[in-house]
Amino acid sequence: MGRLAHVALATALSCTLAALAACAPPPQPPPPTTCATDDIGIAAGAPLMYLPDSELDRELDTIRAVGARWLRVDIDWSVIEPNRGQQNWSVPDRVVDRARARGLEVVGIVAYTPAWARVAGGGDTHGYPADPAAFAGFVRQAAQRYSTRVTHWEIWNEPNLTNFFRPRPDVGKYVELLAAAAPAVKSVQPSARILNGGLAPAVDNGSDISPVTYVQQLYARGAHQYFDILSVHPYSYPALPSDVSTQSWNTFYRMRLMRDTMVQYGDAATPVWATEFGAPTGTASNAVSTQRQADIIADGIAEARRLGWVQKVFVYSMRDRGTNQADVEQNFGLLYQNFSAKPSRAVVASATSGCAAANDTLESTNTPADAVW
């Protein structure tokens, strides 16, 4: 997840297929829980998919221990089928099965394109698929494979950014993908819930498209018939989500404008999910203090609950991806890389109430009491 575009904005504007190999064993039944809420999830990012088994298990345990009930997981076409017709599902299998074994609900992000399926000029894996039907074929396979394990499907990631929809964002092209992929999922999972690709903070600059504009264009094209949940990445840092004085750029606050479009088109019953939200700590000029991170996350959860139509908040992310404090990308975690807690960890545990209380023992035996920074 290339968060640098978000940082610049905030700174500048302030087996189920037995024939396939490498199948993970089926998940065990979810452990019992006394959860008081299920509106908090974790968006862990692509690095989670490649952790060693022991480290992956430990991180999933910390997610469960903090009381989060949802996990956003990449189902990356470019990784699964780099060569046409030669598939290996072992990367997502491992994470999906381990998450489900811990009682976590999974949102599968079907996205990214192998070179053989990429649009001309698409460059890297973030180039969009040249043929919506080919993409839909892969999506259908994913929905079939995880039919008993994944019931929420997010179609692409941040299609309003050039970094994630190369060669450049195009609402019409995205709607073609969504219109092909959504029925493909529902053909094998009729009760599945579809999310549009989460929309990132951006401005209308001739390259990126602001999420407010993008939602307007989605609805103008009738795309709301293809999704059940509107997915947004409402980063607000360094501001608090509820800060009205930052409404000219604060994406969390500006979700109100997206909601206005939904109401205008008679779609008020569709919920909004904040499928990525958080703030980076560290020493970079656009980072925030650990206490400010905690305050932003606390305010975002409270604001979502107050608004009512923001149904879930997925915090990005559970754990720092490195120890370089100057690299914004490495420092979004509720935990430091060594699993010791930032203040924001307690914020999320408090917000999940009984969910965290029932599972804190998982983490207490593994997590150092104090940060080393």
Side-chain angles (χ1 to χ4, degrees):
M1 174 62 252
R3 217 108 357 236
L4 295 181
H6 307 164
V7 174
L9 178 64
T11 303
L13 299 175
S14 119
C15 231
T16 65
L17 292 181
L20 292 175
C23 235
Q28 298 301 309
T33 181
T34 56
C35 276
T37 177
D38 74 344
D39 64 344
I40 306 298
I42 297 294
L48 180 80
M49 309 300 293
Y50 305 99
L51 295 177
D53 285 350
S54 60
E55 194 173 348
L56 172 62
D57 286 340
R58 186 176 179 187
E59 184 154 338
L60 292 174
D61 285 344
T62 67
I63 292 170
R64 183 68 171 149
V66 83
R69 295 300 308 280
W70 293 79
L71 180 67
R72 202 163 163 257
V73 173
D74 286 355
I75 312 294
D76 188 333
W77 190 17
S78 69
V79 170
I80 293 164
E81 194 176 8
N83 300 305
R84 188 170 192 167
Q86 300 177 15
Q87 295 183 335
N88 184 336
W89 295 80
S90 60
V91 171
D93 277 355
R94 185 180 70 121
V95 178
V96 169
D97 286 345
R98 281 171 156 83
R100 292 297 300 127
R102 288 164 173 80
L104 294 169
E105 298 289 340
V106 173
V107 175
I109 314 164
V110 279
Y112 313 136
T113 318
W116 60 267
R118 199 174 301 151
V119 69
D124 60 20
T125 61
H126 294 169
Y128 64 83
D131 180 7
F135 178 63
F138 170 75
V139 172
R140 184 179 295 104
Q141 288 180 294
Q144 180 65 58
R145 185 175 188 83
Y146 299 114
S147 61
T148 62
R149 292 172 281 173
V150 179
T151 57
H152 288 69
W153 295 94
E154 187 171 350
I155 311 302
W156 210 261
N157 177 65
E158 302 192 344
N160 63 316
L161 297 184
T162 296
N163 280 348
F164 283 91
F165 204 80
R166 300 186 188 279
R168 62 185 297 171
D170 183 318
V171 180
K173 294 295 185 185
Y174 174 72
V175 171
E176 290 179 8
L177 296 180
L178 181 63
V185 171
K186 300 224 174 184
S187 70
V188 295
Q189 286 189 32
S191 62
R193 306 294 300 281
I194 305 297
L195 293 76
N196 64 288
L199 300 172
V203 295
D204 297 317
N205 58 12
S207 176
D208 300 331
I209 302 173
S210 85
V212 173
T213 299
Y214 206 95
V215 169
Q216 290 169 344
Q217 293 186 13
L218 284 177
Y219 276 83
R221 288 170 166 80
H224 51 298
Q225 67 185 294
Y226 301 115
F227 59 82
D228 306 296
I229 298 162
L230 183 73
S231 175
V232 184
H233 296 172
Y235 292 96
S236 67
Y237 66 90
L240 295 177
S242 63
D243 186 352
V244 65
S245 71
T246 63
Q247 64 182 295
S248 65
W249 62 266
N250 179 334
T251 302
F252 204 111
Y253 200 93
R254 289 172 70 80
M255 284 195 292
R256 292 166 172 80
L257 301 179
M258 303 174 217
R259 174 70 172 176
D260 288 346
T261 296
M262 299 170 76
V263 172
Q264 175 190 342
Y265 281 86
D267 201 28
T270 293
V272 176
W273 285 16
T275 51
E276 278 187 32
F277 166 70
T281 62
T283 59
S285 60
N286 42 22
V288 299
S289 69
T290 57
Q291 186 56 54
R292 184 63 170 179
Q293 181 199 47
D295 293 343
I296 288 170
I297 292 172
D299 188 70
I301 293 171
E303 185 74 347
R305 291 173 175 174
R306 189 187 70 79
L307 290 170
W309 40 264
V310 181
Q311 195 176 70
K312 298 191 190 299
V313 175
F314 287 68
V315 177
Y316 181 83
S317 56
M318 190 66 219
R319 184 168 69 106
D320 286 353
R321 289 303 168 211
T323 59
N324 182 356
Q325 295 264 296
D327 181 357
V328 170
E329 297 288 345
Q330 295 185 30
N331 293 282
F332 277 83
L334 303 176
L335 308 176
Y336 293 102
Q337 192 189 43
N338 70 350
F339 287 90
S340 57
K342 302 178 189 178
S344 54
R345 190 273 180 206
V347 164
V348 174
S350 176
T352 59
S353 185
C355 297
N359 295 286
D360 272 342
T361 54
L362 285 174
E363 192 170 358
S364 63
T365 58
N366 293 322
T367 306
D370 300 305
V372 297
W373 309 108

